[in-house]
Amino acid sequence: MTPEKNIISPRQDSRGLDYSREIDSKDLVFVNIGPSHPAMHGTLRILAALSGETIVAAVAEMGYLHRGFEKECEMHPYQQCIPYTDRLNYVSAIMNNIGFARAVEKLCGITIPERARIIRVITAELNRIIDHLVCIGANLVDIGALTNFWYSFNVREKVYDILEKLCGARLTSNYIRIGGVARDLYDGFEKEVRSVCRDIVQAVSDIERLTENNRIFLDRTQNVGVISAEEAISSGWTGPTLRACGVAHDLRKAEPYYEYETYDFDVIVGTKGDTFDRIFVRMYEIKESIKIIDQALKRLAPGPVMTDDKRIALPPKIHVYGSIEGLMNHFKLIIHGITPPKGEVYDCTEASNGELGFHIVSDGTQYPYRVKCKSPSLMNYAAFARLVEGGMIADAIATLGSINIIAGELDR
Amino acid sequence: MADSMVVTILQQKGIEGIQEIFHEHELCNVIVQPDEIRRVMQFLKGDPDLKFNMLIDIVAIDYSAYPHGKQARFGIVYHLKSLAHNMRLAVRAFLDEARPQIDSIHDLYNNADWLERECWDQMGIRFLGHPNLKRLLNHKDFIGHPLRKDYPIDRRQWLEEPDDLMDEMERKLLEKGIRLAVRNERE
C-alpha cells in the first residue's frame, strides 16, 4: 500500500528542520517491543523511538493473531459460530457466546426462558470476575508485584473448576446456545458458587491491602498512562477503561438487558483515568459482580433453560423417538439449521472489557451473510501508542496491562 | 423509547444529505449520500440535541451475493452512540463497485483512523483524505480483500517480509518536529 499522494514525505519536507528541539534524530534508538515479548501479553507489537529511556514516539501494530473470524462465520451455520466466539476474548468466553447468541435471538425475534436469562447473568458475572482477576494479576506482576498474581489466579482456578463442571471446558466453554443455554446447572452449583464468591472477596481484599498504600505500586501507577474523558470517548473506549476516566457509562445500566435494571449494584468510576484508576475500577467491579451473582442465585427458580421455539431448539429426545413431528423437527433443524429472517441487527452487551457488539446481516439462509464483531480491545489498543508517548518503557508495560488487551478479540 | 426519539429529532431537523430514515430491530438507521457523509457526521456530532460523540464501529458489507441485491455493491454502516442522550444511530451509505470510496472522518473521531484502515484492509473501501490508509489486520503485502464475497476462504498467501513500521514512525516523528536523518543517508 503506497501512502496517499498529498502526504509530504519527510525527505522532501524541510519544515522539520527549523523546529528547535533538544532531541536530535541521531540520538533516537528504535526498539521493537513485541510481538513475542513476554510483557506484551500475547502478540502485540509497538515500535518505540527512545531518547534515553523515554518513549518519544510509538507506533502500534496488530494482526498477529488474525484468523478471519468474520469470514469463518460466513461459512458456518449460526449455531456453529458459537465455538468461534469462545476464541474472541478467551479469558471470558461465555460473555462472547452471550453477545453473539443475543444478536441472533434479536434477529429471530425470540425471548429466552427466565431461568436461562438468570443462568446467563450468573455465568457472565463469573466470567467478568475472572477476566478482571487476570487483568489485575497480570498487570501487577508486570510491575513487579508477584504475590498478587498468586492471589488472583488461585481463586480464578476455583471459578474455572465450576465452569469446567458446568460446560466441560475451562476456557473455551461453548456453553451458550441460541435460544438458551446448553445444559442446566448441576446439583450443588449454587453452594459452590457461594463458597467461591467468599474466596474471591477474600482474595480481592488481600490484593487491595497489598497495593492500596504500597508506595512502589502508587508511584508506578498513579499519573501513568493518563487519558482524559473526552479523549477516551473520542477513541471509542467503553467499559472499565472509560469508567476509570470518570464517565459513568455501563450498558447494564444505560441499556439494560436480562433485567439488569432490577439488580442492585453500583457503577464504579475513577477520577483521573490513569493506570491506578483502571486497576481499582476493576477491583471494585469484582465486588459489584459478586453482589449481582448473590441476587441472581436467589432468583433461580426451576424451569426450562432452552426456548421451546421449534425453529431454534432441538426437540426433547422422547419426541424425536416417539413422534413423527418430533423426528421431522429434529432433522429439519440438523440439516437446515436456524434460518433467521432477512435483515440486519446490531446488538451489544457489556463484556468485561467494554461494549461487545455483533452486527449480523442475514440473507434468510442458515449461514450469516456477514458478521462484524465490535471488539472493545481494538478501541483501547488504537489509543495505546499515543498513551505511552512521553513515558518510559516500564510505564508502557504498566499501561498495557491496565487496558487489558486480549489478542484473540483484538485481531479476530 | 430513546430510539424513536432519534427519528423524531432527525425528522424535525431535516438534515440535508439524509435520504431515508427507518427503524430495524430497535435501531434507528439513516441512509445518507456518500458525498455528504462528512457534513452529516459533523452535524450529528455537534448538534446539542443529538451529540453523537462516540463512534462505536464502522462496518463494511459486500452485498454482491445478497438475494435481490441492494442499491449498490458495498454498504458502509457507522454505528454512533450519544452518551449524553443515551441514543444510538446507524448511519448507512451505499458505494458503487466502480468507486468504492468515501470521505474519511478520522479527524472527527480518534478511533475512525483504525476502523477505516480495517475497512480498507478487509473490504477494499478507500477513505479519501485518510493520512495512513494501511492494512490493519492483514500483512502489508497481502493481495486482495478477504471479506469480499469473491475472495475464496481457502486462498492462502505466503508472506514473509516483516513490516518495519518506519513509514509510520517517520510521520509521527515529523509531527513532533523531529526529522529522521539516518534513513535519508541510507537511501
Side-chain angles (χ1 to χ4, degrees), chain A residues 1-4 6-14 16-17 19 21 23-26 28 30 32 45-49 56-64 66 70-72 74-75 106-109 231-238 242 247 249 251 254-255 342-346 348 355 359 361-363 368-375 378-379 381-382 385-386 389 410-412, chain B residues 24-27 45 53-70 77 79 81 83 86-88 92 108-112 114-115 117-118 120-123 126-138 140 145-153 162-174 176-185 187:
Chain A
M1 174 58 219
T2 49
E4 294 283 329
N6 56 1
I7 296 156
I8 308 155
S9 148
R11 296 178 202 92
Q12 302 155 3
D13 185 29
S14 56
L17 286 172
Y19 194 92
R21 244 178 185 253
I23 311 164
D24 184 22
S25 68
K26 283 178 193 136
L28 293 178
F30 295 95
N32 270 306
R45 172 191 178 196
I46 57 169
L47 174 67
V56 177
V59 178
E61 199 200 10
M62 59 179 270
Y64 286 92
H66 179 52
E70 288 162 9
K71 185 86 173 174
E72 209 64 62
E74 290 173 17
M75 307 291 154
K106 201 174 185 179
L107 198 58
C108 299
E231 207 186 333
I233 291 169
S234 177
S235 302
W237 282 25
T238 46
L242 177 67
V247 183
H249 179 254
L251 287 178
E255 296 165 42
K342 256 174 94 168
E344 298 195 18
V345 70
Y346 177 79
C348 53
E355 176 177 334
H359 182 114
V361 182
S362 161
D363 57 353
Y369 184 79
R370 170 92 166 91
V371 175
K372 173 75 170 69
C373 166
K374 184 263 166 200
S375 77
L378 176 70
M379 313 301 162
Y381 195 54
R386 209 215 47 75
E389 281 171 9
L410 174 74
D411 293 342
R412 280 158 289 147
Chain B
E24 190 179 13
H25 292 293
E26 300 168 30
L27 183 67
K45 192 186 173 195
N53 53 354
M54 193 183 255
L55 175 66
I56 295 289
D57 203 1
I58 303 179
V59 184
I61 303 152
D62 178 3
Y63 285 113
S64 60
Y66 202 73
H68 313 304
K70 283 263 177 179
V77 188
H79 284 287
K81 163 110 194 177
L83 286 182
N86 198 18
M87 298 188 296
R88 276 179 192 277
R92 286 163 187 273
L108 296 177
Y109 301 97
N110 284 351
N111 57 343
W114 276 33
L115 291 173
R117 279 176 64 185
E118 188 188 336
W120 157 250
D121 178 11
Q122 301 284 306
M123 205 61 99
R126 280 192 163 276
F127 291 88
L128 305 174
H130 191 289
N132 179 35
L133 200 61
K134 263 175 74 167
R135 288 187 183 273
L136 186 69
L137 290 165
N138 286 314
K140 65 180 166 60
H145 302 284
L147 281 182
R148 285 188 176 186
K149 288 288 171 185
D150 51 14
Y151 190 96
I153 192 168
D163 191 352
D164 66 0
L165 296 178
M166 284 309 276
D167 52 335
E168 282 177 70
M169 182 56 91
E170 267 181 311
R171 192 176 298 109
K172 264 223 155 154
L173 285 173
L174 199 62
K176 294 175 189 294
I178 302 165
R179 193 165 170 273
L180 265 184
V182 188
R183 203 170 155 85
N184 293 1
E185 284 158 18
E187 285 173 12

Side-chain angles (χ1 to χ4, degrees), chain B:
Chain B
M1 278 295 284
D3 295 318
S4 48
M5 226 166 71
V6 191
V7 180
T8 336
I9 297 171
L10 288 174
Q11 276 163 348
Q12 277 169 1
K13 303 254 171 188
I15 310 157
E16 225 178 296
I18 291 188
Q19 293 172 323
E20 198 187 327
I21 304 175
F22 66 98
H23 227 250
E24 190 179 13
H25 292 293
E26 300 168 30
L27 183 67
C28 175
N29 285 260
V30 294
I31 299 179
V32 300
Q33 289 158 347
D35 312 338
E36 301 283 346
I37 190 77
R38 275 189 65 85
R39 231 163 47 81
V40 171
M41 291 296 241
Q42 257 158 358
F43 181 85
L44 293 172
K45 192 186 173 195
D47 189 86
D49 294 332
L50 297 166
K51 271 198 196 157
F52 283 103
N53 53 354
M54 193 183 255
L55 175 66
I56 295 289
D57 203 1
I58 303 179
V59 184
I61 303 152
D62 178 3
Y63 285 113
S64 60
Y66 202 73
H68 313 304
K70 283 263 177 179
Q71 302 173 20
R73 178 170 176 185
F74 295 108
I76 185 159
V77 188
Y78 298 81
H79 284 287
L80 299 177
K81 163 110 194 177
S82 162
L83 286 182
H85 303 292
N86 198 18
M87 298 188 296
R88 276 179 192 277
L89 181 69
V91 180
R92 286 163 187 273
F94 288 97
L95 310 173
D96 278 339
E97 184 170 4
R99 278 172 65 248
Q101 57 188 40
I102 194 162
D103 287 330
S104 167
I105 54 159
H106 70 276
D107 49 342
L108 296 177
Y109 301 97
N110 284 351
N111 57 343
D113 181 351
W114 276 33
L115 291 173
E116 288 177 350
R117 279 176 64 185
E118 188 188 336
C119 281
W120 157 250
D121 178 11
Q122 301 284 306
M123 205 61 99
I125 290 169
R126 280 192 163 276
F127 291 88
L128 305 174
H130 191 289
N132 179 35
L133 200 61
K134 263 175 74 167
R135 288 187 183 273
L136 186 69
L137 290 165
N138 286 314
H139 190 272
K140 65 180 166 60
D141 297 334
F142 191 89
I143 298 164
H145 302 284
L147 281 182
R148 285 188 176 186
K149 288 288 171 185
D150 51 14
Y151 190 96
I153 192 168
D154 52 359
R155 180 184 292 165
R156 297 182 174 205
Q157 299 185 27
W158 189 263
L159 307 159
E160 48 191 16
E161 186 65 33
D163 191 352
D164 66 0
L165 296 178
M166 284 309 276
D167 52 335
E168 282 177 70
M169 182 56 91
E170 267 181 311
R171 192 176 298 109
K172 264 223 155 154
L173 285 173
L174 199 62
E175 279 169 21
K176 294 175 189 294
I178 302 165
R179 193 165 170 273
L180 265 184
V182 188
R183 203 170 155 85
N184 293 1
E185 284 158 18
R186 201 180 67 193
E187 285 173 12

Side-chain angles (χ1 to χ4, degrees), chain A residues 69-226:
Chain A
F69 161 76
E70 288 162 9
K71 185 86 173 174
E72 209 64 62
C73 279
E74 290 173 17
M75 307 291 154
H76 287 80
Y78 285 91
Q79 205 73 276
Q80 287 183 16
C81 292
I82 301 249
Y84 284 111
T85 63
D86 278 334
R87 277 100 182 141
L88 289 171
N89 184 344
Y90 36 73
V91 188
S92 52
I94 292 180
M95 286 182 138
N96 304 285
N97 295 169
I98 293 173
F100 184 81
R102 250 183 69 84
V104 181
E105 283 155 10
K106 201 174 185 179
L107 198 58
C108 299
I110 57 161
T111 47
I112 60 167
E114 198 192 348
R115 187 174 168 86
R117 286 202 297 274
I118 295 173
I119 292 176
R120 283 188 182 185
V121 168
I122 295 170
T123 47
E125 294 305 323
L126 281 173
N127 268 258
R128 191 186 312 279
I129 290 170
I130 49 181
D131 195 296
H132 285 356
L133 282 173
V134 171
C135 173
I136 295 168
N139 197 354
L140 288 172
V141 80
D142 280 348
I143 56 177
L146 186 69
T147 319
N148 304 287
F149 182 78
W150 312 130
Y151 284 170
S152 63
F153 272 58
N154 188 21
V155 282
R156 170 183 182 249
E157 210 52 47
K158 287 181 185 164
V159 178
Y160 273 142
D161 285 345
I162 293 176
L163 293 180
E164 197 176 5
K165 260 185 170 173
L166 188 62
C167 352
R170 287 170 72 247
L171 272 86
T172 50
S173 44
N174 188 20
Y175 178 57
I176 307 296
R177 294 286 180 277
I178 296 159
V181 297
R183 59 188 73 82
D184 207 344
L185 304 175
Y186 59 88
D187 288 339
F189 174 83
E190 204 174 318
K191 203 169 145 240
E192 282 180 27
V193 170
R194 283 191 194 284
S195 128
V196 88
C197 281
R198 279 193 295 276
D199 294 344
I200 292 165
V201 173
Q202 182 61 44
V204 171
S205 49
D206 283 347
I207 297 173
E208 226 180 303
R209 279 213 306 277
L210 278 174
T211 49
E212 202 169 35
N213 297 316
N214 184 320
R215 190 74 255 161
I216 303 168
F217 171 74
L218 297 182
D219 287 346
R220 289 294 310 273
T221 55
Q222 281 181 335
N223 296 317
V224 168
V226 184

